[in-house]
Amino acid sequence: MTRIRLFEERTLEVLMQGKLASTMCHVSIGQEAVAAGVCMAMQPQDYLTSTHRGHGHLIARGGDLARMMAELMGKATGYCKGRGGSMHITDMALGHLGANGIVGGHIGIAVGAGLWSSLSQNRAVTMCLFGDGAVTEGVFHEAMNMAAVFRLPVVFVCENNQYAMSLPWSKSTPAVDFKTRAAAYALPGVDVDGQDVAAVYQAACAAADRARRGDGPTLIGAHTYRFFGHSRGDPSAYRDPEEEKRWRARDPLPLFKARALAEGWLDEDAIVRIETEARQAIDAAVAAAEAAPPAADSVAFEDVYAPSGAQQLIDKAVSA
Amino acid sequence: MTTLMFRDALRQALREEMQRDPRVFVLGEDIGRYGGAYAVTKGLLEEFGPRRVIDTPMSEGTIVGAAVGAAMVGGRPVAEIMYVDFMAYAMDQLVNQAAKIHYMFGGQINVPMVLRTQQGTGRGAGAQHSQSLEAWFTHVPGLKVIAPAIPADAKGLLKSAIRDGNPIVFLEHKGLYALKGEVPDEEYLTPIGVARVARAGDDLTLISYSRGVHVALEAADELARAGIQAEVLDLRTLKPLDIDALIASVRRTRRVVIVHEATLTGGLGAEIAARLSEALFGRLLAPVQRVAAFDVPLPANSRLEKLIVPDAARVVQAARAVLNFSPQETIS
C-alpha cells in the first residue's frame, strides 16, 4: 500500500513536471487497500485483469516500479515498450492480462482466462478487478452469468470508489449492495470495507479458495473512495467536501498502521523501514526511467500483428 | 480430391485442427447439441465432448470476450457468432480488445483466436440477419479478415486461421454452405493474404470475394459468349489485401469492376478502387467501377432482397460500361 501511495504521489509530481508521455493518467490514491488485499490473496500461477486506474494492481502484484515509471514516461524500457502508457500497463510474466481502457471491457476476458483454466485444469484463479462504472455496462451481466453457469474460477471484485467519473453510485443503480446483485446469478456476494486491507484480503482469500475448489465465482464489492478527481483535469466539483472529508478520515494507510501496531503485526521500526524502502525504490525507479532512452519512432509501427504461425509453416513447407 | 459441401469442408477443418491440437476448442450459441444454426459444427460435440464444444448462453459480447481471454492464456478458441449482424453486440471485445492487445501491451501477449460468423443475403432473412459487414472489420488494424468463396479455400483458410496466432474474423456466406467443390484429400493449408485467379482473362478484371465471386463468374460466362474474356480474381483474404495480385492483373487488363454484396458507401470496393487508382491511374482505360448493394437495409421479402444486391446482369452492365468507356464523355 505504501509503495502504491508513494508511486502515485510521485507520478502526479512527474505529470506536473510535464515528463509523462501521455495526457491520460488516473491515480487510485485512497483505494490502495483493495489492490493490496486482492493481490495478496493470489498465487503465482493466477491471473489478474485490471483497469484504467490500475497502477496499484500491478504494484501489488509485484510489478517492477522502474519499468512502470518508464512506461508512463514513454521510454524504451517501459513495460509496453513505451507504447501503452498508464492505461495499458501489463506484465504478462506476472499473469497480469492488462490494464484496460474500456470500462468493463476486460470482464469478458477474465471469463475467458477462467474458461481456459477450467478446460486445461491449470489451477489458476483469475482476479477480475473493475470499477463501479463497469457494473452498469451490459458485458458485466453477460460475464457474470457465463462465469456462474460454467462455475469458472474467477473472482469478480468491484472496486467501488463511489463515482463513475462524476455519477455517484446511488444514481448509477438502485441496487447498491453486491450481495443482492450476486443473488441474480446464484453466486455468493460479499460487501467489504474497501479501506480495510485485512477485510479485503480475507474476502479475496475465501473467494479464491472457493474458485480453486471448483465451486465457481464470487462477486465482491469493495467499497472505497478515490481521494482525487477522475483524472488530472477533474477538480471533483460534483462531490460534497464533507463527504470527501469523511472518507479521507478513513485513509487505508493510517488505518492499517494503527491496526498493525495494536495487533502487534508490526512495530514502529518496521513501519519506518517499509516507508523508507518504498521511497528509495521509487526514487530509483524515477531515476532509472529518466535515464532510459525514449521509445524509438519505429515502436509506433511494430507489433500490429504477432508473427503468423501458419505462414511460418507454409514457408517451411515451400522451402523444404 | 473429394467433392464436399462448403459447410462440410469447414467442419473438416475444425475436426482436423481439434485432433491435431488439444488447445483448439469451439464455443458459441447452439453449436453443440443443435449442431450450429447452419450445421457447420454438427457432430463435433459427439466426437470431442462438451469441454471442447461449448454451448454458451446468448451473450455475443462475452462469447468473443471469453475467446480473447482464453487465447491470451494458452487456448486456441474458435468462437462462432451465429449472424454477423449480432457482432454489433461484440464489437468492443473484437475491436478494442482482440485487435489491440498485442500492440498496446508491447507485444507481450498474443491473441490467437478465430471468430467464425456468417453473413449475406439469399434467405430473405431481413434487415437484421442479412448484412455484409466486412468493412467494419477490415477498417481495424490488428485484425485479419477472411472470406472464402469455395469449399477448398474454406477448409484451407480456416486451418491457417486457427494456426495463425492473431485475431481473425472468418466470414462465411449463408448462401454458400451447400455449395459443392473439390477438396484435396491430403492435408493442406491455404495461405492467408493471397488472392486466387478464379478465371483467367485479358479483357478486364472482375474483383470479388465470398459469394460475389460466383456472381462475377456468372457474369464472365455471359461476357465470354460475347467474345469478352474477363479475369475473375477471388480475394479470399480481405485483410491483409493481396494488392500486388490486383495491381498485376489490372495493369494487364487496364479495366476493372469490383463486385461485393455489402453496401456501396464505405465498402471494401472503395478501398480497392482507391488503391488501384493510386497505382495505375495513367494505365487505366476507364474509371474503376463498383457493383455493390444499394445503400438501403435489406427487406425480408426475397423478391425485394434480390433487387438490392448485385447480380450477374448488373456486373455485365458495369463491365460493358468499362469496356465501352470513352474519355470524351467526361469532357463537358
Side-chain angles (χ1 to χ4, degrees):
Chain A
M1 284 199 290
T2 307
R3 279 185 171 226
I4 300 169
R5 174 67 57 89
L6 295 177
F7 180 89
E8 291 203 312
E9 284 178 349
R10 183 61 82 80
T11 297
L12 289 176
E13 278 173 34
V14 174
L15 176 72
M16 296 312 279
Q17 291 163 357
K19 289 181 183 165
L20 293 196
S22 156
T23 59
M24 290 295 219
C25 183
H26 310 91
V27 296
S28 63
I29 292 170
Q31 306 176 202
E32 294 88 343
V34 182
V38 167
C39 291
M40 271 166 39
M42 293 174 68
Q43 294 185 0
Q45 77 276 18
D46 290 346
Y47 302 118
L48 175 70
T49 65
S50 172
T51 69
H52 62 287
R53 201 177 302 287
H55 304 150
H57 308 152
L58 182 52
I59 293 171
R61 183 61 176 155
D64 182 305
L65 299 177
R67 292 188 69 193
M68 287 183 71
M69 190 54 80
E71 187 58 41
L72 297 179
M73 292 184 178
K75 298 300 184 78
T77 54
Y79 262 122
C80 309
K81 303 182 183 174
R83 178 197 287 144
S86 166
M87 276 201 296
H88 307 307
I89 284 187
T90 298
D91 187 346
M92 186 60 191
L94 298 173
H96 187 292
L97 304 182
N100 211 298
I102 304 294
V103 169
H106 61 288
I107 308 182
I109 290 174
V111 170
L115 180 63
W116 183 247
S117 291
S118 169
L119 298 180
S120 67
Q121 306 274 299
N122 68 6
R123 305 276 305 148
V125 167
T126 299
M127 292 289 193
C128 176
L129 282 153
F130 49 89
D132 42 298
V135 176
T136 52
E137 295 284 358
V139 69
F140 172 86
H141 163 63
E142 285 192 7
M144 292 291 297
N145 183 68
M146 200 182 288
V149 75
F150 292 156
R151 296 167 79 85
L152 300 180
V154 182
V155 178
F156 296 100
V157 183
C158 178
E159 199 169 357
N160 175 14
N161 68 14
Q162 312 300 326
Y163 287 84
M165 206 159 150
S166 69
L167 194 72
W169 179 232
S170 61
K171 290 197 167 131
S172 282
T173 177
V176 294
D177 72 288
F178 284 79
K179 194 171 185 332
T180 310
R181 193 172 294 276
Y185 309 100
L187 289 182
V190 185
D191 291 273
V192 294
D193 176 0
Q195 306 308 89
D196 179 350
V197 67
V200 175
Y201 173 66
Q202 281 166 353
C205 283
D209 287 349
R210 178 183 142 83
R212 232 179 285 281
R213 281 199 307 270
D215 292 339
T218 300
L219 174 61
I220 297 173
H223 301 278
T224 180
Y225 202 76
R226 63 170 150 74
F227 287 179
F228 289 86
H230 164 73
S231 58
R232 85 175 158 164
D234 172 18
S236 301
Y238 47 85
R239 297 203 302 205
D240 175 4
E242 281 304 311
E243 175 191 279
E244 291 193 9
K245 226 157 89 184
R246 271 200 315 279
W247 277 97
R248 278 177 177 273
R250 300 200 66 249
D251 185 325
L253 272 73
L255 279 182
F256 176 72
K257 219 185 282 187
R259 174 103 189 264
L261 288 170
E263 302 268 3
W265 297 337
L266 295 170
D267 59 23
E268 288 283 1
D269 285 353
I271 288 170
V272 169
R273 202 167 57 243
I274 287 167
E275 288 172 352
T276 308
E277 281 173 10
R279 212 170 290 281
Q280 286 167 348
I282 287 152
D283 285 344
V286 172
E290 286 191 313
D297 290 358
S298 61
V299 164
F301 302 95
E302 294 162 358
D303 295 330
V304 179
Y305 294 95
S308 162
Q311 200 54 50
Q312 285 164 3
L313 286 174
I314 292 166
D315 293 345
K316 218 162 82 183
V318 168
S319 67
Chain B
M1 290 279 187
T2 307
T3 301
L4 283 184
M5 277 202 278
F6 199 93
R7 63 160 60 88
D8 299 328
L10 289 166
R11 188 183 313 114
Q12 251 188 19
L14 290 170
R15 283 189 66 216
E16 288 179 14
E17 291 307 297
M18 290 176 79
Q19 286 164 351
R20 180 188 65 81
D21 184 347
R23 299 171 302 175
V24 178
F25 68 98
V26 296
L27 74 164
E29 294 161 8
D30 306 297
I31 63 164
R33 290 186 66 178
Y34 191 90
Y38 286 88
V40 171
T41 52
K42 207 172 177 64
L44 295 183
L45 175 66
E46 290 74 8
E47 183 172 354
F48 296 101
R51 300 178 66 81
R52 296 181 70 195
V53 181
I54 303 171
D55 274 322
T56 67
M58 301 197 75
S59 302
E60 283 79 8
T62 298
I63 291 167
V64 178
V68 175
M72 289 167 76
V73 298
R76 292 290 180 274
V78 181
E80 175 174 317
I81 295 296
M82 197 184 285
Y83 285 77
V84 76
D85 315 73
F86 310 164
M87 277 306 296
Y89 267 138
M91 287 302 269
D92 172 62
Q93 301 297 309
L94 183 71
V95 173
N96 292 325
Q97 310 301 337
K100 306 294 192 289
I101 280 169
H102 185 68
Y103 181 85
M104 75 182 177
F105 298 146
Q108 289 185 62
I109 307 176
N110 297 355
V111 187
M113 63 169 277
V114 178
L115 173 68
R116 285 184 46 245
T117 186
Q118 62 74 33
Q119 61 177 19
T121 60
R123 289 175 55 89
Q128 299 171 330
H129 288 75
S130 306
Q131 297 172 88
S132 293
L133 298 176
E134 60 271 16
W136 285 13
F137 310 117
T138 56
H139 193 60
V140 180
L143 298 179
K144 295 185 182 181
V145 184
I146 295 171
I150 56 172
D153 287 342
K155 180 178 176 184
L157 282 164
L158 184 53
K159 285 169 69 80
S160 288
I162 291 169
R163 300 186 195 188
D164 186 80
N166 287 284
I168 293 190
V169 180
F170 195 92
L171 298 169
E172 299 156 16
H173 193 294
K174 64 170 71 63
L176 291 181
Y177 281 126
L179 177 81
K180 287 181 181 160
E182 299 270 280
V183 174
D185 295 319
E186 69 282 3
E187 163 140 59
Y188 68 99
L189 297 171
T190 305
I192 294 169
V194 180
R196 171 182 75 99
V197 179
R199 176 190 178 115
D202 291 324
D203 296 331
L204 83 160
T205 303
L206 304 178
I207 297 172
S208 194
Y209 49 91
S210 189
R211 201 183 66 163
V213 172
H214 302 283
V215 175
L217 285 169
E218 197 186 329
D221 282 345
E222 192 173 330
L223 290 165
R225 285 194 282 277
I228 298 157
Q229 296 307 321
E231 179 144 294
V232 178
L233 291 185
D234 173 3
L235 291 177
R236 302 198 287 190
T237 300
L238 312 187
K239 189 184 183 80
L241 203 53
D242 187 0
I243 192 67
D244 294 344
L246 306 187
I247 290 172
S249 172
V250 178
R251 188 189 300 282
R252 186 162 44 76
T253 63
R254 308 179 71 182
R255 294 176 164 98
V256 60
V257 175
I258 303 156
V259 181
H260 61 60
E261 204 179 302
T263 47
L264 181 76
T265 302
L268 187 61
E271 177 64 28
I272 296 168
R275 300 271 194 112
L276 291 173
S277 301
E278 284 160 5
L280 298 168
F281 182 71
R283 176 82 187 151
L284 291 171
L285 294 174
V288 179
Q289 288 281 316
R290 289 172 294 157
V291 180
F294 297 111
D295 283 331
V296 295
L298 289 154
N301 177 326
S302 293
R303 185 178 58 80
L304 298 181
E305 180 186 83
K306 285 199 184 78
L307 300 176
I308 291 166
V309 296
D311 58 12
R314 277 178 62 199
V315 177
V316 168
Q317 193 182 14
R320 289 194 183 284
V322 163
L323 289 159
N324 298 329
F325 178 78
S326 145
Q328 278 72 31
E329 284 172 23
T330 57
I331 301 167
S332 55

